[in-house]
Structure formats: C-alpha cells, structure tokens
Amino acid sequence: AGPSAAVSSSSSSSDDTRLAHVSDPSMEFLLTEVLHWVEQSCHKNSEDEESAIFAAEMAASKLERMGYSVGYRLCERLAQNKTFGASAAGKDPAQAVAASQLEAVKFLCKEFWMEVFRKQIDKLQTNHRGVFVLKDMDLRWLTRLPPNQEEARVAAIQLLAFPCGLVRGALSNLGIPAVVSCDFLADGTNMSACSFNIKIK
Amino acid sequence: ISLKQQFILHAALDRLEELDGPPPGFGWRSQGVNGSDAMWIGLLLPIEDTRVYGYMTTTKMKIMVVVEDTAVDPTSQKIRESDVKALMVEVHRHFVEYTLNPFNKLGDTMIVSSKFEEGVADCVRRFNNTV
C-alpha cells in the first residue's frame, strides 16, 4: 500500500502543534501486516491438524506478547500523572485491594482505551472478586472487516490477541497480574463487537 | 556506588516499604492528593550525615534521593525538599521516556541508557547548583 493521505487520529485540540499524530489507515495496515508476519513465522511444519493448532496458538501468543509490551509501556506514560483515588483507610484489606483493582480497571476502560481507540469501553461488569468483563461494541481495528465472511471472522479473532496483550500489559504495570481472554461478539453485520475477560490471579 | 551508600539505600527502601503498607499500598498518602504530590513520600531516613527522600509512582516505581545534610533551619530544609521533589518529577519523566522505547527491557533490570543517565545527571547538577 502506498503512503496514506490520512486522517489523523489524535483526539486532542488542534492548538498544540507539537502533538504527534498517528494515521489510522497506516495503523490498520501495520496490524494486518503484523498478523501475516506472525502467522508466517509460526508456520506449521507438517500437515497434520495438531501442528496446525499448535502453530495457530504460537502465533496468537506471539501477537499477545507484542500487545503486552506495548500495553505495559503505554501504561507507564498514561499513569505518569495519575493517582488512583480510593483511600484505604477504614476498609478491611481485602476490600481495599478490590477497590484499587477496580480503580485500575476503570482507568483502563477510560483513559487507556481513549488513548488507543479514541473511545471508552462500552460496558464494564465485575463480580467484585477479581473477574471483570469489558465490552467494546465497536472496536476501531475491526470496523473495516467485511460482514458475514468466515475468513474475516477468523482474522478478527486472531487480531484480538493484540488488545488482550494490551490489557494484560497495562494491568501488569499497575501491579495487577491477570489472565486476559476475549470473545468475539459479532452477529453477522456488526463485525466489531468484542468482550475482554480479565481474571486477576 | 559505595558499600555505605548501598547500605543507606537498602535501609531507606525498607522504610519506604514500611510506609507503603499492605496491599493495595500507598499508605503514606493523605486523602484527596493528586498527581506528583501523591507520589511524593517525603523524608524516609535521616542517617549519619545524609537524608534520604522517597517517591513512588502509580506503577510502583520507586525513586530515592540521598541528600547531604547541610541545611540547618526548617525553612531552608523545606525549600530543599521542594527542590528534591522537582528533581524526582524530572527523573520520573526520564524513566517514562526510557520505558517508551520498545528496545529497552521491561521490569527489574538495570537501566542501560546514556540518554537516561545524562538526563538524570543533568537534573542532579541543576539541583546541586541551586543550593
């Protein structure tokens, strides 16, 4: 693809001319290319199904690790001037820990998601015992997928490994080790709905 | 970095962890404080002829500064402390920039970066010159 005469995706005011802008199409092309590269570099050796599954898993975890690195580093920048409110005084320790985890996840849903996807998470659910479900009904990177195609579905699920890593990386930097998985919620026409499940270790 | 300095730093780190308290931590923080004020811990340890100040970021990164104890009266000490705080905010900034570089290792490894070292040395020099 040639250079894109692209729309900037910065969400801040246009007065600040020093702010770096990222081109949306370039980012999406890059992600697609990364997906291809990761598949190729984990290419299966023999033709049996087991090694195909193994190769797919290796590719997914490679992509997830990339996401982890990006998420971790981005979190350092975004939390540079942030403090998470909730005072621990007067609460029992388990409650205080749960409250601080909730603060961290809320930071993820708002500021972090805003920075990466220019919108916030649409729905946050928790069981207050270390499990969180984050739903995004319109994930930026999936919006251009053709509806109702099996190939696109598969690609979407593969691509979602990256945001999973982003979430895991950001939480890890805040001192919260977790396992992050995701579900593709697409219903045919809307190919960009997904949910992320965070289970704190 | 001398053995004596290492000893002082470890002792200060112990004190820092004491102040931090049990999870979720940040035990020194008072209500409603935000930003760099919330990350500033203050005096950790007056030991021998030095004072050690502490600072901890939201991402649990700790900065400790060892200052030679020359100030005599409380007001000049207060001024010094605000200078130390400014120093720590600068070091924090350098750390964030270091972390953003994807070629740098994450986690508990030693920071090997001339840019980081020069930046910190610069901050220290500026602090020393404002005494």
Side-chain angles (χ1 to χ4, degrees), chain A residues 86-102:
Chain A
S87 145
K91 288 202 185 98
D92 78 291
Q95 269 194 323
V97 172
S100 78
Q101 287 174 352
L102 183 58

Side-chain angles (χ1 to χ4, degrees), chain A residues 39-72:
Chain A
E39 295 260 297
Q40 280 224 309
S41 69
C42 296
H43 190 67
K44 58 185 188 281
N45 298 323
S46 53
E47 279 308 310
D48 63 320
E49 178 158 347
E50 198 182 292
S51 77
I53 297 178
F54 182 66
E57 283 181 7
M58 265 204 349
S61 81
K62 203 162 187 171
L63 194 54
E64 201 267 356
R65 275 200 304 276
M66 282 189 202
Y68 179 88
S69 177
V70 175
Y72 190 102

Side-chain angles (χ1 to χ4, degrees), chain A:
Chain A
S4 23
V7 176
S8 86
S9 66
S10 165
S11 57
S12 32
S13 73
S14 45
D15 318 314
D16 192 345
T17 50
R18 290 169 302 136
L19 212 58
H21 289 181
V22 176
S23 131
D24 259 341
S26 295
M27 179 68 189
E28 288 173 24
F29 283 139
L30 180 63
L31 275 175
T32 318
E33 203 47 46
V34 167
L35 202 55
H36 286 165
W37 174 78
V38 150
E39 295 260 297
Q40 280 224 309
S41 69
C42 296
H43 190 67
K44 58 185 188 281
N45 298 323
S46 53
E47 279 308 310
D48 63 320
E49 178 158 347
E50 198 182 292
S51 77
I53 297 178
F54 182 66
E57 283 181 7
M58 265 204 349
S61 81
K62 203 162 187 171
L63 194 54
E64 201 267 356
R65 275 200 304 276
M66 282 189 202
Y68 179 88
S69 177
V70 175
Y72 190 102
R73 296 174 199 277
L74 196 54
C75 181
E76 190 75 54
R77 168 58 104 198
L78 295 177
Q80 190 175 0
N81 290 315
K82 262 215 74 102
T83 13
F84 297 158
S87 145
K91 288 202 185 98
D92 78 291
Q95 269 194 323
V97 172
S100 78
Q101 287 174 352
L102 183 58
E103 288 286 306
V105 176
K106 274 162 50 178
F107 162 76
L108 199 67
C109 294
K110 295 190 189 159
E111 279 105 346
F112 191 87
W113 224 253
M114 189 60 108
E115 191 65 28
V116 182
F117 300 107
R118 295 182 72 207
K119 62 186 281 288
Q120 300 187 354
I121 281 280
D122 295 316
K123 190 165 176 196
L124 169 64
Q125 293 164 304
T126 174
N127 73 347
H128 294 287
R129 267 189 271 281
V131 179
F132 298 86
V133 179
L134 279 59
K135 289 204 169 89
D136 190 335
M137 295 310 172
D138 194 18
L139 197 70
R140 197 171 194 81
W141 299 335
L142 299 178
T143 48
R144 297 188 210 290
L145 288 173
N148 279 319
Q149 279 186 25
E150 183 58 24
E151 253 184 24
R153 236 195 95 248
V154 169
I157 294 178
Q158 288 171 330
L159 189 61
L160 282 174
F162 190 77
C164 280
L166 280 179
V167 170
R168 190 170 70 90
L171 286 176
S172 163
N173 198 4
L174 295 170
I176 301 174
V179 176
V180 183
S181 66
C182 63
D183 293 310
F184 189 47
L185 303 174
D187 63 348
T189 30
N190 174 19
M191 291 294 272
S192 51
C194 53
S195 80
F196 297 92
N197 310 310
I198 302 175
K199 193 158 177 326
I200 298 183
K201 288 192 195 158

Side-chain angles (χ1 to χ4, degrees), chain A residues 68-70 72-89 93-94 96-98 100-101 172-176, chain B residues 23-25 29 31 33-36 38-39 55 57-61 89 92-93 95-107:
Chain A
Y68 179 88
S69 177
V70 175
Y72 190 102
R73 296 174 199 277
L74 196 54
C75 181
E76 190 75 54
R77 168 58 104 198
L78 295 177
Q80 190 175 0
N81 290 315
K82 262 215 74 102
T83 13
F84 297 158
S87 145
V97 172
S100 78
Q101 287 174 352
S172 163
N173 198 4
L174 295 170
I176 301 174
Chain B
R29 198 183 278 167
Q31 269 283 48
V33 210
N34 274 313
S36 55
M39 303 187 193
Y55 181 101
T57 70
T58 313
T59 59
K60 317 273 168 93
M61 203 263 304
V89 169
H92 183 190
R93 185 178 65 80
F95 179 76
V96 170
E97 287 174 10
Y98 171 81
T99 313
L100 287 175
N101 183 344
F103 294 110
N104 289 329
K105 298 215 188 308
L106 297 177

